[in-house]
Amino acid sequence: MSKILVTGGAGFIGANFVHYWRGEYPADVLVVLDALTYAGNPASLEAVKEQAGFHFVHGNILDQALVEGLLREHEIDTIVHFAAESHVDRSIHGPDAFIETNIVGTHSMLKAAREVWLAGSGREHRFHHVSTDEVYGSLGPADPPFTETTAYAPNSPYSASKASSDHLVRSYHHTYGLQVSTSNCSNNYGPYQFPEKLIPLIIVNILAGKPLPVYGDGQNIRDWLYVDDHCRGIDLILKKGEVGGVYNIGGNNEWTNIDIVKLVCALMDECFARDEALNVRFPAAPEVVGRQAESLITYVKDRPGHDRRYAIDAAKCRAELGYVPRESFATGIRKTIAWMLENESWWRAVMDGSYRNWLDSHYGRMRRG
Ligand code: NAD
Ligand code: TYD
């Protein structure tokens, strides 16, 4: 049985990881540590919050004493470190929080792990650091995909902060012998994703009849992976990955942004054609007045420093761990749209901030992003 500390477990991928892990390993203990910034939502953990072996702690990864206390109290043997500021556009407008959480916060986590696991208990342990393909920078159209040995070339404050944290994790292994692993994953999509990221943003904007902003010429390419397949990749790394190892996780699924937006538009039109109740629920949607969702596409000013193309070569994960994504894009994107239509109250609450009243009554007022 494992006892796992999941940082950032109320965020998009962290919450999916909690659900994945409860399903696969119900006897394990999971302790979620999350500061509940704008991106963290305890409602994403509603289904597990009363389960035996699940604990939620509202706190900051920068609080080293708190983290050390949790590692000791719950006899944690594994950390899966998701907590981060994660949105590139926010990092452009306000990089400080990215430096604080992603670099200083990760360092604080490493110090706590070293203190408890190396200086203290001496137990077998694993510190798994969840990172991104964005650390490798931008590819040209004919470049081969990123491998684990591609040189780092981060271009945004977000990717630079993640790159720094990756280096710190590596250094704690080489210098102190901390048992670490790192995964660099491509763009995720799926349930519980905050609607500031491309796919959920397009879905909610169609439902509200709002413009669908496409940055620049819409030809930037991302490599999309269903979030459960990311969680499965982390699972394999924890179980079979080499200590000190770095693994790229991806789905071999490159799309230009404009093609993704058009695909989501077409699938939303299908949903409205199939289900008349949507016309009543979402009266501002273009389909209600006989227009196609694509009519909302609006090209807007490009993101500064916008990386042109990301693509992951997941051959190492496949060869060493037997990793193969299970979800196809055709099914994953449909599942995601269905989830958004079934969970309107979730995304309305995170967008209008109304769940904060609930948060304040449950957790008191704390610093939140
Ligand atoms: P997210 O923004 O949805 O969630 C981040 C979570 O971390 C939130 O719950 C937030 O409250 C929490 N958090 C932020 N600062 C904290 C702090 N100081 N202390 C404690 N908790 C804090 O992010 P996500 O999309 O779920 O990404 C999770 C991780 O995966 C990040 O490290 C990100 O870099 C990485 N990643 C994301 C993607 C993607 O496509 N979303 C792809 C590859 C890697
Ligand atoms: P995003 O979901 O923010 O992820 P990342 O920047 O980490 O890849 O954006 C995915 C792609 O979509 C990226 O190339 C920027 C683009 N994009 C838009 O064109 N319009 C939008 O409104 C957003 C949020 C993103």
Side-chain angles (χ1 to χ4, degrees), residues 182-218:
T182 297
S183 49
N184 295 87
C185 189
S186 58
N187 283 62
N188 284 212
Y189 69 98
Y192 302 113
Q193 188 166 30
F194 195 88
E196 64 184 352
K197 305 280 168 62
L198 182 67
I199 290 177
L201 178 96
I202 296 302
I203 297 169
V204 301
N205 279 17
I206 292 171
L207 295 173
K210 288 189 183 161
L212 311 180
V214 174
Y215 298 165
D217 63 5

Side-chain angles (χ1 to χ4, degrees), residues 16 20 188-189 225-233 327 335:
N16 278 284
Y20 168 88
N188 284 212
Y189 69 98
L225 185 72
Y226 192 67
V227 62
D228 256 10
D229 281 325
H230 185 180
C231 298
R232 184 169 299 106
E327 197 72 52
K335 270 192 188 174

